[in-house]
Structure formats: C-alpha cells, structure tokens
Amino acid sequence: MALRPPVLNPPFNITRASHVVLTVADLAASRLFYEEVLGLVVTLQTDDALYLRGVEEACHHSLVLRQSKDAPCCARIGLRVRTEDDLRIARDYFAGHGCAAEWAEVPYQGLTLHVTDPFGNRMEYCAHMPVEPRQITRFHHHRGGSALRIDHYQLLTPNLRGALDFYMDLGFLLTEYVGPDDEQIRAVFLQRKGNPHDLVFFNGDGPRLHHFAYMVPETQHLLRACDIAGELGFGRQVERGPGRHGPGHALFVYFRDPDGHRVELFNTHYQVLDLELEPVRWDPADPAVSFPWGYPARGRWFEQATPFEDTPVRETAVRPTPMTLEKYLAEEA
Ligand SMILES: [Fe+2]
C-alpha cells in the first residue's frame, strides 16, 4: 500500500546523493584508511583537507575530510541538482518553508546552497564540480575495495514521518519502508536516481549521520577490503558483515573509519524506475529485515552515529528495540 502518492513534478530537480563532508583528527590516518581499505582515489590533498572520489567518479569529490581538533562530526551531506536554476528555485523554496538557506563559497564546487532542513540535517546542494579523469579502466591503480561511487546516506531522526513528507515533497520516491503497519513507520528508503535509495531515514536520536555508502564492482571486493583492513591494523573496525540486507537486498560490509565515522561498502542493488511500483513494507518482527542469514548487528551499530556540526541531538520518543548481536547470543545461550 502506498503511504502517499509520489510528487512527480517537484519544485526543483534533485538528481542524486553527491558527497559527504566530515571532520577528522588526522588526515594521514584517514588517507590510509580511505585510500587503501575502501580504494577511493585522492583528487587533492591540501594542508587541512582531503578530497576523494570513487574510481568510477569523474566529478571532483564525493568525500571531503577536513582536519579539526574538535570532536569528529559531519559538516554537510551533499545532494546534486540538475542546474543552477534549480539551486535558485531551491533557495526560495527552502526559505519559504522556514529553513536556513544561504549561498556558500565552497572550493571545487559551483554555486552552492547550504540548507538546514526542518530536522536539523545540514545539507549542501550544488549543480557542478570540476571534472577529473575517471579511473575505472586504470585497473593497475585500483586499491582495496575499489569503491566505485557514492550511493546513499542513512540519517537518524526523531521525526521520521516529518522527514518522509518533507523529502517526498521534493520528489523523492519511497521504495521500501519498515514498520508493523503504515502508522508506525521506523525507517524509510527514498530515491531520486533510480535505485533503492539515495536518502534513508531511521527512527532514532538525531539528527545524526548513521553511515554513507559506496558501491563496489564485485562481491570479492567486500572481502578484499576486509583483508586489507586487517593487514593495515583496521581489522577491529570491520563493524558489521559481510552480510545481506533485507531492504535493498545489498551484500554489505560496514567499517568505522579512524574517527568513528561509519562507511558501508555494498553491491547488488536493483533498479527502481517505473512509477507503478508500490513501496515494499518490511515487518520489523521479520528477522529477514536486518539479517536474512548469519548474525544481527551488535548494539552499537544501532546506537552510535556521527552528530552534525554545531547541531544538538534530540532524543526520539519512540525507542527502537532491534534484535542486536548481544541479545541474539544471550537468547541462543
Ligand atoms: Fe546503507
């Protein structure tokens, strides 16, 4: 059953999840992790920032790491729009909906709009970046998991229904959701680019960034990234998996980077383009939602996440009670 009809002609054209901006304590440690374990390509390193992209990506960056002495946080998450005219329409739209929306000077991006959405998520919209050579066929340069391209982010929010309505008004299509019925929704999977999700919201204390995710070419790259993580001293930072998701059906593995930011490598998503497709509801009582096989995630995977810069975290009124690895093993014993 569709929760509400999609908005087929949104006020402006968002095309995809684009990039993440994180703060880190040590650029050298972060570079080792993202370049050697995930296999990202370094586009540019400055005195205080590192710009990375996937081996398939031609645009300047999909991950920006800014050195900081403060506690690690997420400065912005980026969405692309089709044209700069879309940005101008977006600014008026967000201002009209009571959101902070300001033009920003951001290196290696065209016209950029900073927006804080009604739920406190710090977003960054742009339409252009400088173009770099794709590395996809330079096989002898591929490292680690050969991360191809950024795909999605997952955010935690105490106002899940509000976030669903707000982003569906911007043209996002709901592909899958988790809830015992349509009134008690715990997670929503929203997309613009034609696969299961660009933007995912889970009920939880927020706003916080739970993870961001890169696609890999083959399943073997998930294992190769784990092997290299183990070799380079990041073995304990393989947090969950490899495993199979229920929603989205992806094969996945999650890492914590040197600052605790969570990043996912995955593949085997599917195409979602046709409008007659109804959103798929998952019952949270069904164990296949979080682990079709193997073991569930440990409790910290559900609880820990990256806060946004200068943004207070609000507690959720609905406390999730997922099956954790700790509970699962206790019940099995
Ligand atoms: Fe994900």
Side-chain angles (χ1 to χ4, degrees):
M1 175 194 295
L3 295 167
R4 49 168 285 181
V7 175
L8 301 183
N9 294 296
F12 52 93
N13 189 2
I14 297 170
T15 56
R16 65 177 176 89
S18 166
H19 59 282
V20 177
V21 185
L22 303 173
T23 65
V24 301
D26 180 348
L27 282 180
S30 297
R31 178 169 181 159
L32 180 68
F33 174 81
Y34 282 104
E35 193 172 29
E36 300 297 340
V37 177
L38 266 68
L40 294 183
V41 176
V42 174
T43 303
L44 177 70
Q45 181 162 3
T46 67
D47 288 342
D48 61 357
L50 188 59
Y51 295 84
L52 302 119
R53 67 188 196 278
V55 299
E56 178 187 311
E57 291 177 316
C59 293
H60 188 270
H61 52 264
S62 55
L63 177 62
V64 182
L65 303 176
R66 290 191 341 216
Q67 183 129 352
S68 172
K69 292 185 172 61
D70 297 330
C73 67
C74 177
R76 296 277 167 187
I77 57 173
L79 290 166
R80 286 287 289 259
V81 295
R82 182 69 72 193
T83 68
E84 292 193 346
D85 282 342
D86 287 302
L87 289 176
R88 297 182 187 96
I89 296 167
R91 183 179 180 280
D92 292 343
Y93 178 91
F94 289 124
H97 285 73
C99 303
E102 298 173 346
W103 300 118
E105 288 287 331
V106 178
Y108 311 105
Q109 289 177 198
L111 186 66
T112 297
L113 180 65
H114 280 174
V115 176
T116 302
D117 75 13
F119 320 100
N121 300 296
R122 289 164 59 95
M123 315 296 283
E124 179 171 285
Y125 292 79
C126 69
H128 302 293
M129 288 184 188
V131 173
E132 301 286 334
R134 289 186 200 274
Q135 300 295 301
I136 191 165
T137 55
R138 303 192 72 195
F139 298 106
H140 68 294
H141 288 303
H142 293 188
R143 295 174 167 174
S146 300
L148 289 176
R149 61 182 181 275
I150 198 164
D151 183 81
H152 64 269
Y153 335 105
Q154 184 164 311
L155 302 172
L156 297 173
T157 179
N159 186 357
L160 189 68
R161 181 65 71 139
L164 173 65
D165 287 340
F166 185 82
Y167 282 96
M168 284 194 76
D169 284 344
L170 298 184
F172 282 83
L173 299 179
L174 180 66
T175 57
E176 305 188 38
Y177 60 106
V178 179
D181 54 49
D182 288 355
E183 302 304 317
Q184 304 176 73
I185 302 172
R186 299 176 187 177
V188 293
F189 299 79
L190 297 159
Q191 65 92 4
R192 284 292 297 167
K193 67 181 176 302
N195 76 351
H197 37 272
D198 289 274
L199 190 52
V200 179
F201 286 99
F202 267 67
N203 176 258
D205 298 343
R208 292 186 295 163
L209 172 64
H210 183 269
H211 71 266
F212 58 106
Y214 280 86
M215 172 92 101
V216 300
E218 305 285 349
T219 302
Q220 67 193 17
H221 293 96
L222 303 176
L223 303 177
R224 179 171 163 77
C226 293
D227 273 341
I228 293 173
E231 181 195 354
L232 296 181
F234 299 115
R236 300 285 79 78
Q237 290 159 235
V238 180
E239 187 184 46
R240 180 183 177 191
R244 172 77 75 179
H245 280 307
H249 313 314
L251 282 167
F252 67 85
V253 62
Y254 291 88
F255 299 91
R256 302 295 286 269
D257 82 358
D259 293 272
H261 304 303
R262 185 180 291 107
V263 58
E264 177 186 20
L265 294 180
F266 78 97
N267 66 2
T268 63
H269 262 178
Y270 61 98
Q271 181 172 286
V272 191
L273 290 169
D274 303 317
L275 294 176
E276 70 270 31
L277 301 175
E278 294 282 349
V280 175
R281 183 175 69 80
W282 291 82
D283 187 335
D286 179 355
V289 174
S290 61
F291 61 112
W293 43 261
Y295 292 95
R298 66 185 83 177
R300 76 179 200 184
W301 185 89
F302 296 99
E303 296 154 8
Q304 297 176 358
T306 297
F308 281 94
E309 192 168 33
D310 299 327
T311 304
V313 172
R314 289 189 298 120
E315 285 191 20
T316 178
V318 181
R319 185 59 52 190
T321 55
M323 174 57 75
T324 64
L325 178 62
E326 293 86 348
K327 273 195 247 177
Y328 185 82
L329 293 177
E331 287 182 9
E332 200 172 54

